[in-house]
Amino acid sequence: MPQTLDAAAVRTWCSLALDALGRDREEIDAINVYPVADGDTGTNLYLTVESAVQAVEAVFDAHATGTSVPDLPDAVRAMAHGALIGARGNSGTILAQLLRGMAEVLGEDGAGTGAGGVAGAAEDGGDHLARALRRAAQLAREAVAHPVEGTILTVAAAAADAAARTAGDGAGGDGAAYGSDAAVHAAYAGARVALDATPGQLAVLGRAGVVDAGGRGLLAVLAALVEAVTGDAPARVAPGARPHDLPAVVESCDTDDSSPGPAFEVIYLLETDEAGIDRLRRRLDALGDSLVVVGGDGLWNVHVHVDDAGAAVEAGVEAGRPYRIRITHFAAAAGHQRERAQRAVVAVVPGEGLAGLCAEAGATTVLARPGEPPASGELVEAIRRAHAHEVVLLPNDAELRHTAAAAAEQARAEGIRVALIPTRAAVQGIAALAVHEPDRRFDEDVVAMTSAAGATRYAELAVAERQSWTMAGICQAGDLLGLIDGDVAVIGTELAATAESVLDRMLSAGGELVTLVLGEDVPDTLADRLERYVRDGHLAVDTVVYRGGRQSVPLLIGVE
C-alpha cells in the first residue's frame, strides 16, 4: 500500500538500501572502472549507508523509552549526518551529499510536512520528493570539483528530472501518498534509463562494456526508496548488464581516463567554516583529482586522489581540524598481496564465555552483545588488531553476512589477505576453529575450516516475544522456540524438554559430537540432563559443554 514519507518510512528505506547494497556489493565492485579501477565502489556505498542506518536507529532508540516517535526532520537529518561521517570512496562521498540534499528539503519545518513530520500537508508529496531529489542532485554536482557525465551525478540528475516531470503533469492526483508513489516510481525509471546510457557518455565504461558502478549503486538506493514508499520492490537489475542498444562507438570524454592517475586516495572529516573549505578546495584541486567535498554547518567530508598524501592531510590541517583520516594506496587496493608471514582468525561471538574460549584457541574476538550486532567498522578494526597478513573471518551469524563481506573487502583494500567463511552460528565457528592449523597452507586451512563449519548443524532455543505463526505452528508470547538451521522446528514450554526434542530431530540424521553452549542464567543441571539424554539414546555420540555467558538466547546446540 502507498504511504506518506514519514520517519518510519525513512528508517525502512535505509534498511532496505543496506540490504540491497549488501546483495549487490560484489557485483558493483566488479564493474568499478571509473575514476579508478580499484573494485571497491559497492563496498564503499555499503559502508556509507551502514553508517546512515546506525544514525537513524540511534534516533529511534532515543525515543524508545518514551511515548513520542521521531519526526521526519529528525530521521532525515540523522540519515544525512550518518552518511556524512561514514562516507567512503568517491561514490560514497557523493551519495552522502545526495542524502544531505534530500534531507534539506524533506526536513523543512512547515513546508511539505504536517504534524509528525509527514510529507503532504502543505505540499503534495510528489512535489516534495521531486524538490528533494532536485536539491540532492544540485548539491552533489556542486560538491565535485570537475563533474563528469556518465557517472552517479548523471543518474541522480535524471532521477530528479523524471520526478519533476511527473509532479508537473499532476500525477499526484488528489492525495500526497499517491503523489509520492508516482514520484518515486518516475525517479527510479528515469535513473534506470540514465544508467543504461552511461557507457555511451564515458569512454572507459564503453570500452569495458559496463554501466557506471556508482550510478548502479544509486539505482539500488532508489529502488529501496520505491519499496519503502509504495511497498512495491522493482525488479532487480543485473549490475554488469550492458544495454543492447549501446552504440558501437562511444563518445570520447574530456578526461584522459587511460592514464594511471594518482597513487593515493585520501579521505578525512574536517571541522572548519566555509572560508576554510573554499581555500581547501583550491589547494587540493591543484594537488590531485577526483576531489569531492561534502557537508556543511562546520563539518565536512573530504575526498581526493593525490600522489602526495601528506600534502593533502597538511592542507586539511591548515584549513581546520581533520580527523578520521584514511589513506589508501591504489596498488594495494587493486589486489597486490603481501607475502605470507602470519595468519590469524577473527571470530564474532555472542557471549563473554565463548570470547574466552575462542581467544584461548588463538582467535581475535568481536563480542556481539544482545541486540547490538557489530558494524563492519568493528570487524575491520578487529582484522587490523590481529596483526596478520592472512586472516580467516568467522561472522557466526547469518544476519552478519553482508557486514562481514564489506569488512573483508575493506581489509583487502589495505593489503590484508582475508578469507570469509560464512558461518551462520557460533557452534559452526567453534567447529571451524577446532580444525584450524596455522602452519598449513592458507587455502588448505580455509577449505578444512569451511568443511568443518558446513558439516555442523546448528540450533538455538529462544523465547517467543509475541504470538505468531511459525513452521511448527502458532506460538504464544513466552513459549520456547527450538530453531534448527534458522527455522522453528519445535514449540515448547519447558527448556529441558524442548531441548531434548530439538536434539532428537537433529540426531535422527546422525552425528558424532553434540556441542551445548549455555547462557548466563541456565543452570548446570540442564547440561547434565542433556548429556545423559544424548548418552542414553546415542551411545556413539560425545557431548561437550561450554558456558557462553550473557547471550541473546539461553541455549545453543551444534551437531557434527
Side-chain angles (χ1 to χ4, degrees):
M1 291 291 292
Q3 57 178 291
T4 51
L5 186 63
D6 56 10
V10 170
R11 185 188 198 184
T12 300
W13 174 26
C14 291
S15 177
L16 291 171
L18 188 64
D19 288 343
L21 290 170
R23 289 191 303 270
D24 295 345
R25 181 190 59 77
E26 290 184 357
E27 297 175 40
I28 296 174
D29 284 346
I31 63 170
N32 171 202
V33 297
Y34 182 85
V36 177
D38 49 353
D40 64 357
T41 292
T43 299
N44 288 334
L45 289 170
Y46 178 89
L47 294 172
T48 302
V49 173
E50 181 185 53
S51 183
V53 168
Q54 291 169 350
V56 172
E57 289 301 322
V59 168
F60 274 83
D61 288 345
H63 287 77
T65 57
T67 57
S68 64
V69 296
D71 58 17
L72 180 60
D74 286 340
V76 293
R77 289 166 187 162
M79 172 187 70
H81 181 74
L84 174 67
I85 63 175
R88 301 293 184 94
N90 193 70
S91 294
T93 308
I94 293 174
L95 177 62
Q97 191 74 340
L98 288 167
L99 296 179
R100 180 181 178 85
M102 292 193 70
E104 281 190 10
V105 175
L106 296 177
E108 292 172 347
D109 294 324
T113 57
V118 178
E123 177 182 25
D124 178 82
D127 290 334
H128 201 220
L129 271 170
R131 283 204 303 116
L133 290 166
R134 169 60 62 206
R135 180 59 176 161
Q138 176 190 355
L139 276 189
R141 188 167 290 269
E142 291 174 354
V144 178
H146 302 284
V148 174
E149 295 306 325
T151 64
I152 186 174
L153 298 175
T154 306
V155 177
D161 290 343
R165 286 194 298 271
T166 299
D169 290 341
D174 56 2
Y178 183 71
S180 299
D181 175 62
V184 293
H185 275 297
Y188 175 80
R192 184 163 181 173
V193 170
L195 179 68
D196 285 348
T198 56
Q201 297 173 296
L202 196 53
V204 65
L205 301 179
R207 288 196 297 270
V210 297
V211 297
D212 178 65
R216 174 58 185 86
L218 178 59
L219 191 68
V221 173
L222 290 173
L225 179 60
V226 172
E227 186 173 358
V229 172
T230 72
D232 300 326
R236 187 170 179 268
V237 178
R242 179 174 180 166
H244 294 297
D245 57 352
L246 181 66
V249 179
V250 298
E251 300 173 7
S252 63
C253 61
D254 295 334
T255 304
D256 178 12
D257 50 52
S258 61
S259 61
F264 297 97
E265 176 185 60
V266 178
I267 304 174
Y268 50 79
L269 292 177
L270 180 69
E271 293 180 354
T272 188
D273 54 19
E274 291 280 354
I277 280 297
D278 289 341
R279 292 193 301 271
L280 179 68
R281 281 195 174 103
R282 291 192 295 271
R283 175 82 180 275
L284 293 181
D285 197 21
L287 285 174
D289 59 29
S290 296
L291 174 60
V292 184
V293 181
V294 304
D297 302 322
L299 180 62
W300 310 81
N301 192 306
V302 179
H303 170 281
V304 67
H305 294 174
V306 293
D307 283 319
D308 190 343
V313 175
E314 288 174 5
V317 173
E318 293 175 3
R321 187 178 79 88
Y323 59 102
R324 291 196 186 180
I325 301 168
R326 295 190 298 272
I327 300 174
T328 302
H329 193 286
F330 285 124
H336 292 238
Q337 298 172 344
R338 310 169 192 173
E339 293 182 5
R340 173 190 168 193
Q342 180 186 354
R343 185 178 314 156
V345 176
V346 173
V348 180
V349 292
E352 296 87 348
L354 287 186
L357 174 69
C358 293
E360 289 176 7
T364 298
T365 61
V366 178
L367 187 61
R369 296 175 178 82
E372 298 180 25
S376 58
E378 293 179 70
L379 300 186
V380 172
E381 287 302 321
I383 293 172
R384 293 171 182 153
R385 195 168 68 247
H387 296 299
H389 298 300
E390 300 171 334
V391 172
V392 179
L393 179 58
L394 305 173
N396 296 336
D397 187 338
E399 297 299 320
L400 287 177
R401 62 191 187 279
H402 297 323
T403 301
E409 192 64 31
Q410 175 67 19
R412 292 182 190 120
E414 299 176 8
I416 304 172
R417 188 180 185 188
V418 181
L420 170 61
I421 299 179
T423 47
R424 300 168 64 86
V427 289
Q428 289 187 323
I430 293 172
L433 265 175
V435 300
H436 168 55
E437 293 184 14
D439 294 331
R440 200 161 38 191
R441 289 182 59 247
F442 185 66
D443 293 340
E444 292 176 355
D445 198 30
V446 171
V447 168
M449 295 176 72
T450 302
S451 178
T456 303
R457 299 189 68 196
Y458 62 94
E460 64 180 40
L461 268 66
V463 179
E465 296 181 355
R466 64 184 67 86
Q467 182 188 62
S468 61
W469 288 89
T470 75
M471 294 184 66
I474 301 175
C475 71
Q476 305 296 326
D479 281 349
L480 285 165
L481 305 179
L483 292 89
I484 300 177
D485 295 338
D487 295 322
V488 177
V490 177
I491 300 175
T493 57
E494 196 267 327
L495 186 60
T498 306
E500 289 172 353
S501 296
V502 170
L503 284 167
D504 281 341
R505 289 174 178 259
M506 296 182 76
L507 290 170
S508 65
E512 299 176 355
L513 176 67
V514 170
T515 300
L516 304 174
V517 181
L518 278 61
E520 184 177 41
D521 298 326
V522 176
D524 291 332
T525 53
L526 175 67
D528 296 338
R529 172 173 168 172
L530 295 180
E531 282 187 277
R532 289 195 303 270
Y533 187 80
V534 172
R535 185 171 60 249
D536 292 344
H538 306 273
L539 294 177
V541 180
D542 294 325
T543 303
V544 61
V545 178
Y546 300 114
R547 275 286 176 185
R550 183 171 176 264
Q551 57 190 36
S552 58
V553 296
L555 181 64
L556 301 173
I557 302 174
V559 174
E560 300 177 47

